[in-house]
Amino acid sequence: MYRATVLTPTLVGDGNRLSPIDYMVWRDQVNVLHQTRIFKLLAKGPRLEGYLTQLRKASKLDFASWGGFAQNYADRRIPFEDPAYTPYWNNAPAENLSIPTFAATEAGPFLPGAAIKGALRTAYVFANTRPAAIRELAEKLTAGERLARRPSESMEQHAAGSGGSDRMRAISIGDSNHRPRETFKVYMLRLSTLIARGPEQYALGWKQAGRGAVEGRRPEDSTPTFAEMAAPGTAFEGNWRENDFLNREEVRQVLRWNKPVTHQSLFEAANLYAAKQLELHAQYAKWSGLDALGASVAGLQNRLEAVRNDGGCLVAIGWGAGFLSKSAAIGADEAEHRKLLGMMPFYQRAIQTGLPFPKTRRVVFLKNKPATLPGWMELRVTA
């Protein structure tokens, strides 16, 4: 069995979102409408056509006309983390009000095992990639070789294997049990950015959708994002199985694995990866002057040292965890890493600015103050 405990607000979604016509905000909570019940009710009278017309044309449901549905026909109610977010929601453009939701079935929210396994695989590649691999890949591309669709695929396969020799075959991680919805809330996040003020001197900015950024002292003028997230302290448990057959010495020789793949080796890799991410986040907090964010990162670093000595690991997982949680190349020399990213069309413009990469972070607000980074969890194998 494994146990994953949420340390900072976390969203592991299944691709679903609540559009602004799927819910209404009332009494500082998101009231998800039970549309089937509403249709059955309205079909008995003359108001169904008007309701369907508003669903087709409106960006938000008119509370003055349909607010009774939020009171009496809500499928579920998700509270805001802080009541102060209601005015921000009211003033935000409708295109920014789709709320990504946590992975769930009819039985309730759950943590997909694939999300945990993906985070551990990235960490394993990070920990087992040769220091020179990034430089060699950049040299190949500089020499005029055509940019592959997946430039780092060979590097990943060398570190973790592929197909039948994929080292992640040694473990199976099941989806977690379902959790009560009471531990989930709608959090507000804003996108911070760095603004150049001189050589290696930066100021904090907050992103506005389609209009650049506002000064760091005016976060309320930036564009907010809302998401349903598991609150810190929420724990998910599920099945963890290790394939002892694949770890036999004679089998490993055939698969060309130089060492067994166990939860201990995966957790060691995950902690190395987490340490590097937190180091970069701490530097970002210092550059941006976000003291509360810096304190949160320092707390995670202290937690990391504790779990390292206690058989656990920290992972950054899910929506909002950002580029640093998805790239196994962040441990490479910075100049070589930037050179490689600059050859890729998607990152080219960001690298050319000369600013640190990535220059943005999705910051979770707590009690209407920028406070922490999303997606950090503590993972343990319990039995």
Side-chain angles (χ1 to χ4, degrees):
M1 294 286 290
Y2 68 83
R3 182 180 179 88
T5 305
V6 175
L7 302 180
T8 65
T10 298
L11 166 59
V12 180
D14 53 9
N16 289 325
R17 290 173 175 263
L18 297 173
S19 76
I21 60 172
D22 290 326
Y23 67 90
M24 288 185 180
V25 171
W26 178 62
R27 289 189 175 178
D28 304 319
Q29 58 188 359
V30 171
N31 300 272
V32 183
L33 301 179
H34 195 309
Q35 299 287 17
T36 303
R37 288 181 61 201
I38 293 173
F39 290 155
K40 288 181 178 179
L41 172 72
L42 295 180
K44 299 175 182 179
R47 301 182 67 196
L48 179 59
E49 191 61 35
Y51 184 67
L52 293 175
T53 299
Q54 183 157 150
L55 287 180
R56 285 195 300 268
K57 296 182 178 180
S59 54
K60 293 182 186 179
L61 287 177
D62 178 20
F63 192 87
S65 301
W66 309 104
F69 295 152
Q71 302 172 43
N72 302 310
Y73 291 90
D75 184 40
R76 57 191 178 102
R77 307 182 194 277
I78 318 170
F80 280 130
E81 182 271 331
D82 190 273
Y85 302 156
T86 300
Y88 295 123
W89 184 90
N90 288 330
N91 296 328
E95 57 266 23
N96 297 112
L97 295 180
S98 291
I99 300 177
T101 56
F102 209 94
T105 65
E106 292 183 359
F110 70 96
L111 179 63
I116 300 174
K117 194 168 185 178
L120 291 176
R121 179 181 175 83
T122 304
Y124 191 87
V125 174
F126 167 86
N128 290 277
T129 295
R130 294 181 298 109
I134 296 293
R135 181 176 66 252
E136 292 172 1
L137 181 57
E139 289 173 352
K140 286 181 181 180
L141 298 177
T142 305
E145 290 192 19
R146 182 180 177 183
L147 183 65
R149 186 176 181 183
R150 299 183 180 90
S152 63
E153 187 172 41
S154 59
M155 185 179 73
E156 179 182 353
Q157 291 176 353
H158 186 272
S162 63
S165 62
D166 190 328
R167 287 166 175 80
M168 297 306 290
R169 289 181 59 209
I171 62 166
S172 298
I173 305 175
D175 294 343
S176 78
N177 55 358
H178 294 89
R179 299 297 302 156
R181 292 192 181 273
E182 287 74 19
T183 59
F184 293 78
K185 299 178 182 179
V186 173
Y187 287 83
M188 183 176 73
L189 303 92
R190 297 183 188 272
L191 195 62
S192 68
T193 187
L194 296 177
I195 302 172
R197 289 289 186 261
E200 296 188 7
Q201 295 182 1
Y202 310 102
L204 172 66
W206 296 99
K207 285 283 191 178
Q208 282 185 316
R211 292 184 291 172
V214 298
E215 296 176 345
R217 58 188 175 85
R218 294 163 47 206
E220 65 278 0
D221 292 333
S222 64
T223 303
T225 303
F226 299 92
E228 181 192 22
M229 309 179 90
T234 304
F236 300 89
E237 294 182 342
N239 290 323
W240 177 289
R241 188 176 68 85
E242 298 182 16
N243 192 326
D244 295 331
F245 172 77
L246 293 179
N247 279 323
R248 291 180 182 177
E249 184 175 357
E250 62 272 20
V251 178
R252 287 192 289 107
Q253 289 178 353
V254 174
L255 296 175
R256 297 183 179 180
W257 294 0
N258 57 356
K259 57 185 177 181
V261 180
T262 63
H263 76 268
Q264 290 92 343
S265 62
L266 290 173
F267 283 12
E268 181 182 357
N271 286 329
L272 289 172
Y273 190 37
K276 184 61 180 180
Q277 291 179 70
L278 292 172
E279 174 191 332
L280 297 174
H281 288 317
Q283 180 62 66
Y284 184 90
K286 183 178 179 180
W287 281 331
S288 64
L290 288 169
D291 295 335
L293 180 63
S296 174
V297 172
L300 289 170
Q301 289 175 317
N302 292 336
R303 188 68 172 261
L304 175 61
E305 291 304 314
V307 301
R308 269 180 162 168
N309 300 321
D310 198 23
C313 73
L314 295 192
V315 292
I317 194 170
W319 179 88
F323 175 85
L324 296 182
S325 72
K326 308 294 190 293
S327 172
I330 61 174
D333 177 79
E334 183 180 0
E336 294 174 353
H337 191 205
R338 291 181 68 92
K339 180 180 179 182
L340 179 61
L341 291 174
M343 298 177 185
M344 301 180 184
F346 188 78
Y347 299 115
Q348 195 172 64
R349 184 177 176 185
I351 295 298
Q352 288 173 349
T353 65
L355 290 167
F357 182 85
K359 68 174 182 178
T360 59
R361 296 291 190 279
R362 202 175 289 276
V363 179
V364 180
F365 277 55
L366 300 177
K367 303 301 179 185
N368 203 23
K369 300 291 183 182
T372 190
L373 298 167
W376 284 93
M377 305 185 80
E378 179 180 324
L379 181 63
R380 295 179 181 274
V381 172
T382 57

